[in-house]
Amino acid sequence: MESLFDWISGVLGAVFGLAQGGFDGVNQVMGLLIAVIAALLMPAWSRLWATALGAALVHVAIGVVRPMLDGGAFVLPDLLTLTFWMGVFALFLGYAIVIAVFFLIKSLFTGGGHAHRKHAH
């Protein structure tokens, strides 16, 4: 039973470590701008995970395109490495946290956080 608790605490510690690393990656000007735009475009809380995934992919795409704008060569990230995907997952978790905070603020000011649906009768 102790080994199960040790395993669970190890997994949770790793996830929290990834979330902290992702939050550090998002907590820069580019990441905050992406998160604000994503929160403004997010229609409802149910779209948080998809919005965070989209924001993480935009972050990676900007990271690929930015060196080209500075005159550098086009270089793809190492898509087949675990390090790359762990970094994307960390960004995903970081964006989920930051977008949730921004969306909460947005929903407090706009008076809702859910999509209003009209039913045709």
Side-chain angles (χ1 to χ4, degrees):
M1 190 61 126
E2 286 182 32
S3 64
L4 176 65
F5 290 130
D6 291 339
W7 180 80
I8 290 172
S9 67
V11 168
L12 290 177
V15 168
F16 288 133
L18 278 173
Q20 182 179 9
F23 183 74
D24 290 342
V26 173
N27 199 13
Q28 298 172 7
V29 174
M30 180 182 74
L32 291 174
L33 285 174
I34 293 171
V36 166
I37 293 169
L40 290 174
L41 295 175
M42 190 169 81
W45 283 107
S46 62
R47 302 297 299 164
L48 175 63
W49 303 116
T51 304
L53 179 61
L57 294 177
V58 166
H59 188 107
V60 170
I62 290 173
V64 169
V65 172
R66 185 189 292 172
M68 289 175 36
L69 297 176
D70 293 335
F74 176 72
V75 178
L76 280 175
D78 295 328
L79 298 173
L80 298 178
T81 63
L82 182 61
T83 305
F84 170 77
W85 290 108
M86 292 300 285
V88 171
F89 185 62
L91 281 173
F92 167 74
L93 292 175
Y95 274 114
I97 294 167
V98 175
I99 290 170
V101 170
F102 287 152
F103 189 74
L104 176 65
I105 293 168
K106 173 189 159 187
S107 64
L108 290 174
F109 283 112
T110 60
H114 47 78
H116 296 285
R117 296 184 179 145
K118 295 182 181 179
H119 298 282
H121 292 280

